[in-house]
């Protein structure tokens, strides 16, 4: 964690014991830190106290005698005398519990919370043994669906307001509220406004009774039958800590774990419910080989691996390339990199697919911020994708820093983002014109953005820098970082989205990087690795765009796809498909069939999330442990084990016998990870993860970004290709709870652009770019920069558009007429 | 009872037809105090006069108004809020002040705002008071038209805007922090204290919340001096006070009397005694929240301290008299039912406890009580107000919950046998 000044301590008396506690701490927290648990329902350490449930009453000595007060909202003061177990306190606790229980249905045998219920547990510990209530209990219609996911049982509700406060205070979408009064008070949504929050599942987790339930877990299991293991969410790269919970070898629930460094215990609903994809019937469970007729047929592992070994062995090493690996563990990524560099002997390795940033920037920007730095920031600059869509738990941390810690926020993006309503300043710009915005911010005496520049004179400044959309030139992020690093006390948090993309790059799955943040071009770094691995190519390899072009040109012959779907994620889907066609051999290691591996020669089923053990690395460079709680389906195997056996068949020696062995080798050969062991991350204070390099680790790579002479590009209508949380990707569509939440695809235009084109809101239009055409509904969006068109990038129907710089939008024309106009400069090579 | 000035009700008594109109108000000396004070007094001098007057807040808590003003945090802007959410059962005194002499209140509002440095004042009137609200609104408009409100009032350079706000019909909004929430458009729920409104009130700014009657006294105090006011009434509680007499008295209604008379004088001399010359059984001395008094308290003085020593309070000035025909369980049930209905619902003991109490009393009332219900009643009360002491301790956020306890402790203290007699089998068991 970033350095914090030590708090001033005061001495109080707690149940007759003198203790030292931080000044201003609430009694409930101060006591808990000293081992005295004060019962509570409404108190939650990540939210402001409200003193509603009254369960935490304690007695405090005052000049006016002993008073009963709630420990959750009473700060400690010097010499304070607190009694948490006096007769008066115990009587009050019994009373509160009896009050809470009189109208509670006591349907514990069929309640999902039964067995892990704070109301049950505290009744055992502090409650009366029996009830004296003989009247009819309060009744409400139940359950009420609050949204597609969350249901409300108002009879079980004890009105602690944790859910309503979370929605208002933490996630900022107050869609549920107390209604009615007195005994008829209940929590409900506003009329015709469902609880459609990306974070609704948190309310289910923090509900102290079974009032809020979520469909995926409802009536699925009893808590005492659950097996749980801590791990890290793989939905994005923010490193949210989770607990994966299974019943009878099936994941039934994921809960957030309070990691002070990353997610504060919160999750997005995608983090929480995406586990359903694990058990999709579409999971690959057996190796597939394409037969002579061109059909994929089930095969034995032996036959499949022989086929791959033969194919890879029959071409030169540097005619082989590999795309993907950003959704795997560090250990798997490391094994893959070692396999490619030492067994196949190729430098053409890239874990990044569609929205790639310079690997040296992502792995080496210095000084790099930690998420916790946000809390101490005076100013936060977010020039990246919409965090609410791409990094939901990081979005909550930015919200926390701004709404609770007083940071000022500046958002730069082509249209509205989820953070705009708490931003002090917002710059909206047309995609392609980012360099001009940077120039204006940098230029002395420029008239524009005065308020933004004023804010940025106050440090520390934390800059969150990534691509605002897929059509953005990736070098813009470096120019933004270069600008940001000139600001007072600044640090940069580089943002790339895929689950373990930072780990994959750190393990060397990049054309320019070797394991441990060592540039390929570093002679000394390469020499050190060669002392372990033998001779390595000294030249950088091709990136994904180069690999696609190389396959199309016939310079590359064979391709590994590791959890990658470049057809969907590519800039030009048709060109990627053609390149895959041109390849002599494609092997895919994946959990599902997709638009790319449909064309593969061999498909190997691999274990995925919750099925593999290892480590992952997040946007901060924080390494955390992920864990295995169940086997993969059918014959699916761990990636490292597949690669180890493949190496043997190719006459090589990978030495990837098991996860711990690989982890040991990483510590040996990857300089930044020299101090990393699984033990460190599994036990003790470093369970929240460790930012690498630390202790013995060294990082040679010090990437100094510059404004590499980038010039504004694009014209009307520049494409803004932003991402949405609930996308058309495999994991989302294979999770029933999430699949239905995907928004309807549409193209968004500024009203003035629409009226210039004589187009009306809701009209069906053809959106055409140089790579394809798609028919979409038009929506007017006054938040969008004029002269641009926003098309959500990753929906089922929009990806065929590819990622052109500019598009045309016109009333639906005759079918099949493709738009041939080319505007702006083409960026990618063939991809 | 010695002679005393009619501070609040003289004008409305003398001119019942038009005491609410500006012309009448001016013709009877109205706004003269304001004119002189704005031109010749400093704000601190007004505060000093109010402190010297030692006027206790007339809303219920009887906190000295001048001292409350002194708590105001030195932050701007600051606000004055007039609490006209008169909802305590049996209380109808503010209604008369609002309806019959709104300019007296407005003059008090301007003087108070000047004294505390507020440029915005809000008059919050309960939702069930459309006519008083209309009268006040008309009076505010008339005051604006004549320059008693608005910019540069009477050439003094002092600005004040006044807004009249009608509540939505919840008793709890008479609690000052719930009132502030309601004004802000939030749910009418009491806030946790601290912070107190004088530090962080309306829109998180320093705010003084005063009752209608309290502020209606300010013009007289400023005109005649704090000492003159303090000379009226008793040592501890001074000035005159409006009491709302209701129930089984011969002459119900609002009366202005000096503090310090006895309950006997108030009920028998001023209220004309008990209807049909029945026996007095009990009375609620200060609104439904107050523990009841019985005949033995008739010679207790009507002051804050004397009533507190006797275990109750003057509260909102509502005196509800019950004669010998009263079923005390029915009376207590009615009061508890009111509080249960008006509980805001946010804290557990009040939301659940008041409802439970109401249902137990309902059982008793219907001769369906159980012998254990007596202990149960008291124990549930104890869960809301530990120790059943006076002034009450509370497990709740605000005093609404303990208010529901008062009638029950009252009947159990003074009429236990009568309560027990309503439980089938109990007295037989006891005598067996």
């Amino acid at each position: 964690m970033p350095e914090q000044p030590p708090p001033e301590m005061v001495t109080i008396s707690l149940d007759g014991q003198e203790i030292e506690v931080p000044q201003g701490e609430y009694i409930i927290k101060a006591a808990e830190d000293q081992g005295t648990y004060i019962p509570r329902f409404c108190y939650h350490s990540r939210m402001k106290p409200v003193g509603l449930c009254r369960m935490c009453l304690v007695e405090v000595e005052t000049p006016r005698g002993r008073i009963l007060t709630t420990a959750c909202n009473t700060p400690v003061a010097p010499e304070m005398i607190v009694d948490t177990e006096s007769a008066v306190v115990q009587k009050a606790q019994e009373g509160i519990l009896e009050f809470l229980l009189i109208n509670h249905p006591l349907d514990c045998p069929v309640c999902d919370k039964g067995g892990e219920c704070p109301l049950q547990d505290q009744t055992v510990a502090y409650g009366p043994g029996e009830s004296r209530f003989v009247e009819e209990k309060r009744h409400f219609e139940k359950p009420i669906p609050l949204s597609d996911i969350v249901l409300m049982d108002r009879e079980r509700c004890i009105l602690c307001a944790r859910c309503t406060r979370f929605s208002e205070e933490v996630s900022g979408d107050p869609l549920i509220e107390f209604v009615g009064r007195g005994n008829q008070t209940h929590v409900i949504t506003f009329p015709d406004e469902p609880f459609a929050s990306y974070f609704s599942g948190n309310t289910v987790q923090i509900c102290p009774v079974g009032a809020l339930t979520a469909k995926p877990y409802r009536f699925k299991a009893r808590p005492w039958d659950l097996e749980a293991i801590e791990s890290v969410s793989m939905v994005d790269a923010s490193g949210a800590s989770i607990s994966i919970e299974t019943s009878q070898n099936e994941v039934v629930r994921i809960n957030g774990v309070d990691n002070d460094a990353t997610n504060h215990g919160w999750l997005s609903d995608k983090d929480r419910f995406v586990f359903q994809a694990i058990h999709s019937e579409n999971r690959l469970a057996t190796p597939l080989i394409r037969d002579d007729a061109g059909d994929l047929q089930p095969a034995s592992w032996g036959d499949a691996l022989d086929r791959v070994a033969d194919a890879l062995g029959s071409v030169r090493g540097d005619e082989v390339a590999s795309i993907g690996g950003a959704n795997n563990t560090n250990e798997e990524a490391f094994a893959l990199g070692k396999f490619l560099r030492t067994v196949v002997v190729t430098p053409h390795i890239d874990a990044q697919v569609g929205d790639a940033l310079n690997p040296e920037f992502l792995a080496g920007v210095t000084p790099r911020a930690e998420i916790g730095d946000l809390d101490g920031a005076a100013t936060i600059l977010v020039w990246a994708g919409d965090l609410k869509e791409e990094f939901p738990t990081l979005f909550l941390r930015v919200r926390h820093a701004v709404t609770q810690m007083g940071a000022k926020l500046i958002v730069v993006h082509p249209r509205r983002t989820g953070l705009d309503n708490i931003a002090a300043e917002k710059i909206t710009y047309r995609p392609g014109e980012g360099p001009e915005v940077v120039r204006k911010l940098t230029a002395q005496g420029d008239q524009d953005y005065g308020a933004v520049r004023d804010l940025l004179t106050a440090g520390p400044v934390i800059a969150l820098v990534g691509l605002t959309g897929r059509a953005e030139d990736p070098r813009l992020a470096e120019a933004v970082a270069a600008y940001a690093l000139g600001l007072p006390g600044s640090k940069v948090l580089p943002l790339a989205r895929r689950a373990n993309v930072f780990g994959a790059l750190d393990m060397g799955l990049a054309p320019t990087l070797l394991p441990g943040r060592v540039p390929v071009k570093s002679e000394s770094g390469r020499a050190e690795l060669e002392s372990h691995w033998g001779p390595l190519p000294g030249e950088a390899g091709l990136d994904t765009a180069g690999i696609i072009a190389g396959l199309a040109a016939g310079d590359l012959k064979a391709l590994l796809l590791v959890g990658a779907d470049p057809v969907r994620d590519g800039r030009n889907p048709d060109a990627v498909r053609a390149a895959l066609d041109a390849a002599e051999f494609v092997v895919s290691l994946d959990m599902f069939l997709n638009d790319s591996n449909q064309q593969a020669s061999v498909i190997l089923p691999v274990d995925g999330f919750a099925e593999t053990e290892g480590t992952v690395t997040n946007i901060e460079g924080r390494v955390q442990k992920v864990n295995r709680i169940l086997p993969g389906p059918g014959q699916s195997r761990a990636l490292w084990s597949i690669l180890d056996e493949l190496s043997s068949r190719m006459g090589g020696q990978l030495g990837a016998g098991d996860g711990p062995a690989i982890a040991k080798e990483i510590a040996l050969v990857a300089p930044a990870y020299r101090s990393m062991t699984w033990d460190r991350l599994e036990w003790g204070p470093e369970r929240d993860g460790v930012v690498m390099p630390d202790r013995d680790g060294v990082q040679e790579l010090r990437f100094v970004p510059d404004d590499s002479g980038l010039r504004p590009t694009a014209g009307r209508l520049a494409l803004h290709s932003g991402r949405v949380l609930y996308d058309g990707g495999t994991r989302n569509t294979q999770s029933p709870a999430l699949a239905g939440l995907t928004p309807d695809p549409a193209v968004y235009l500024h009203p003035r652009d629409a009226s210039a084109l004589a187009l009306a809101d809701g009209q069906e239009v053809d959106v055409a770019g140089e790579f394809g055409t798609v028919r979409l509904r038009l929506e007017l969006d006054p938040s969008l920069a004029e002269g641009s068109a926003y098309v959500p990038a990753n929906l089922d129907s929009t990806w065929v558009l590819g990622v052109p710089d500019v598009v045309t939008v016109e009333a639906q024309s005759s079918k099949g007429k493709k738009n041939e106009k080319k505007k702006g400069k083409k960026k990618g090579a063939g991809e | 009872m010695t002679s005393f000035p009619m501070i609040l009700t003289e004008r409305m008594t003398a001119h019942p037809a038009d005491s609410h109109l500006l012309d009448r108000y001016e013709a009877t000396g109205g706004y003269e105090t304001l004119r002189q004070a704005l031109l010749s007094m400093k704000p601190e001098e007004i505060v000093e006069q109010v402190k010297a007057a030692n006027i206790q807040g007339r809303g219920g808590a009887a906190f000295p108004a001048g001292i409350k003003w002194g708590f105001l945090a030195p932050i701007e802007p600051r606000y004055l809020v007039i609490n006209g959410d008169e909802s305590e059962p049996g209380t109808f005194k503010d209604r008369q002040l609002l309806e019959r002499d709104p300019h007296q209140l407005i003059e008090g509002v301007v003087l108070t705002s000047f004294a505390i440095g507020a440029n915005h004042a809000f008059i919050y009137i309960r939702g069930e008071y459309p006519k008083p609200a209309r009268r006040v609104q008309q009076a505010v408009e008339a005051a604006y038209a004549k320059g008693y409100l608005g910019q540069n009032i009477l050439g003094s350079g002092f600005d004040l805007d006044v807004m009249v706000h009608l509540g939505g019909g919840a008793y709890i909004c008479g609690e000052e922090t719930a009132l502030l929430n309601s004004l802000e458009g939030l749910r009418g729920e009491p806030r946790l204290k601290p912070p107190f409104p004088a530090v962080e009130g309306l829109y998180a700014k320093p705010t003084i919340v005063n009752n209608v009657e309290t502020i209606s006294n300010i013009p007289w105090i400023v005109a005649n001096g704090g000492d003159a006011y303090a000379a009226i009434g008793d040592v501890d509680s001074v000035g005159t006070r409006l009491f709302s007499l209701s129930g089984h008295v011969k002459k119900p209604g609002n009366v202005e009397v000096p503090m310090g008379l006895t309950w006997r004088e108030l009920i028998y001399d001023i209220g004309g005694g008990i209807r049909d010359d029945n026996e007095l059984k009990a009375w609620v001395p200060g609104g439904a929240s107050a523990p009841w008094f019985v005949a033995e308290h008739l010679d207790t003085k009507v002051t804050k301290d004397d009533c507190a020593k006797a275990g109750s309070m003057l509260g909102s000035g509502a005196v509800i008299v019950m004669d010998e025909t009263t079923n005390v369980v029915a009376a207590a049930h009615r009061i508890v039912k009111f509080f249960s209905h008006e509980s805001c619902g946010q804290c557990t003991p009040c939301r659940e406890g008041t409802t439970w109490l109401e249902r137990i009393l309902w059982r008793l009332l219907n001769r369906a009580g159980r012998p254990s219900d007596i202990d149960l009643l008291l124990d549930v009360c104890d869960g809301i107000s530990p120790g059943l002491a006076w002034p009450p301790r509370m497990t709740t956020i605000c005093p609404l919950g303990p208010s529901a306890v008062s009638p029950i402790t009252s009947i159990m203290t003074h009429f236990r046998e009568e309560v027990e007699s309503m439980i089938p089998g109990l007295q037989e068991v006891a005598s067996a």
Side-chain angles (χ1 to χ4, degrees), chain A residues 88 114 116 192 244 260 460 469 723 749:
Chain A
V88 173
E116 56 175 14
D192 303 321
I244 309 173
D260 205 41
R723 290 185 175 275
L749 288 182

Side-chain angles (χ1 to χ4, degrees), chain A residues 428-458:
Chain A
T428 303
Y429 72 100
R430 186 161 68 166
E433 292 180 351
E436 183 61 10
V437 179
V438 177
R439 191 194 63 75
K440 284 182 175 171
L441 286 171
T442 316
Q444 291 298 319
D446 200 293
Q447 294 307 301
D448 291 338
Y449 309 140
V452 173
R453 282 187 291 171
D454 285 351
L455 276 182
L456 288 169
T457 57

Side-chain angles (χ1 to χ4, degrees), chain A residues 50-54 59 66 73 91 98-100 103 132-136 138 158 178 180-183, chain B residues 169 187 192 341-344 346-349 351-353 355-356 359 363 379 382 386 393 395-397:
Chain A
V50 283
L52 292 188
C53 73
R54 318 302 287 174
E59 276 198 299
R66 285 165 83 90
N73 68 316
K91 180 82 185 358
E98 188 176 22
F99 286 144
L100 287 175
N103 278 304
R132 297 171 292 180
F133 188 75
V134 294
E135 281 83 2
E136 176 83 13
R138 176 170 58 219
I158 59 165
F178 275 27
R181 72 185 191 196
N183 198 30
Chain B
R187 278 175 62 84
L192 297 169
H341 181 248
E342 295 294 346
S343 167
C344 81
Q346 66 171 339
C347 76
T348 308
R351 177 184 66 240
E352 305 294 342
T355 321
W356 194 4
R359 293 169 80 171
R363 276 209 309 265
D379 203 49
D382 189 270
R393 303 183 77 184
T395 59
T396 49
I397 292 176

Side-chain angles (χ1 to χ4, degrees), chain A residues 189-200:
Chain A
T189 51
F190 295 94
D192 303 321
E193 273 188 81
F195 185 30
S197 164
Y198 282 0
F199 304 96
S200 65

Side-chain angles (χ1 to χ4, degrees), chain A residues 195-212:
Chain A
F195 185 30
S197 164
Y198 282 0
F199 304 96
S200 65
N202 293 295
T203 63
V204 175
Q205 184 177 341
I206 61 178
C207 180
V209 291
L212 291 168

Side-chain angles (χ1 to χ4, degrees), chain B residues 142-198:
Chain B
Y144 265 107
K146 280 299 253 320
Y148 298 123
L149 291 174
Q151 302 291 303
N152 190 19
I153 294 169
L154 301 175
S156 65
F158 176 65
D159 305 333
L160 178 67
D161 281 309
V162 170
M163 190 189 166
V164 180
H165 183 88
L166 204 60
Y171 167 79
I172 194 59
C173 291
E175 195 281 337
E176 60 180 1
T177 59
L179 185 153
L180 296 177
N181 273 357
S182 171
L183 258 185
E184 289 183 23
L186 306 173
R187 278 175 62 84
E189 291 170 342
R191 300 176 182 174
L192 297 169
K193 299 186 209 179
F196 289 90

Side-chain angles (χ1 to χ4, degrees), chain A residues 450-702:
Chain A
V452 173
R453 282 187 291 171
D454 285 351
L455 276 182
L456 288 169
T457 57
V461 175
I462 303 300
L464 280 58
V465 181
L467 285 181
T468 59
R470 293 204 306 161
E472 195 89 72
D473 189 321
R475 289 172 302 168
L476 176 63
E478 293 166 55
V480 171
Y483 163 69
L485 287 174
L487 298 168
S490 64
K491 291 182 185 174
V492 166
L493 196 55
L495 299 186
R497 192 182 50 88
R498 273 165 221 281
N500 192 33
V501 63
F502 289 91
L505 299 180
D506 283 357
M507 295 301 109
L509 293 187
T512 52
L513 291 177
L514 298 173
R517 297 183 195 158
V518 175
V520 169
K521 60 181 185 266
S522 159
E523 295 289 342
S524 60
R526 203 172 68 248
E528 195 182 327
L529 185 60
E530 283 175 336
S531 73
H532 300 289
W533 282 5
L536 296 167
E539 294 298 312
L542 297 169
D543 64 6
T544 294
I547 291 168
I548 298 299
L551 288 168
D555 300 335
L556 295 176
K557 302 280 198 303
L559 177 68
L560 282 80
L561 289 175
V562 186
D565 184 359
V567 171
R568 280 219 178 187
D569 287 336
R571 189 168 167 73
N572 180 350
D574 287 344
V576 177
R577 205 175 262 131
L580 294 177
D581 270 344
E584 285 176 14
F585 182 79
V586 177
V587 55
S588 165
L589 299 101
D590 213 312
M591 298 162 68
F592 291 97
L593 287 178
N594 60 37
D595 287 294
S596 300
N597 65 13
Q598 302 272 13
Q599 292 167 265
S601 319
V602 177
I603 300 176
L604 304 175
V606 298
D607 294 344
F609 172 72
E611 297 158 355
T612 54
E613 184 181 14
T615 60
V616 292
T617 304
N618 80 347
I619 49 176
E620 310 161 276
R622 180 181 307 279
V623 182
Q624 293 165 273
K625 186 87 195 313
V626 295
N627 285 306
R628 176 177 200 259
I629 192 164
L630 75 173
Q635 300 177 40
S636 106
R637 287 171 62 175
L639 179 62
W640 54 264
S641 123
I642 300 171
L643 295 170
D644 196 57
E645 192 171 337
L646 198 51
S647 300
S648 308
R649 285 168 199 255
M650 292 174 71
Q653 188 64 42
L654 194 57
D658 59 17
I662 304 171
K664 280 201 190 84
E665 189 177 352
I666 294 172
L668 185 69
V669 309
Y673 283 63
R674 200 140 279 163
S675 58
M676 180 49 54
T677 67
W678 283 10
D679 277 357
R680 277 184 76 186
L681 301 173
E682 282 179 311
W683 311 106
E686 294 180 322
R687 287 177 70 173
D688 283 355
V690 182
V691 174
M692 292 286 113
D694 87 324
R695 295 210 307 232
D696 312 327
V698 286
Q699 179 170 333
E700 187 185 323
L701 182 59
R702 288 274 185 277

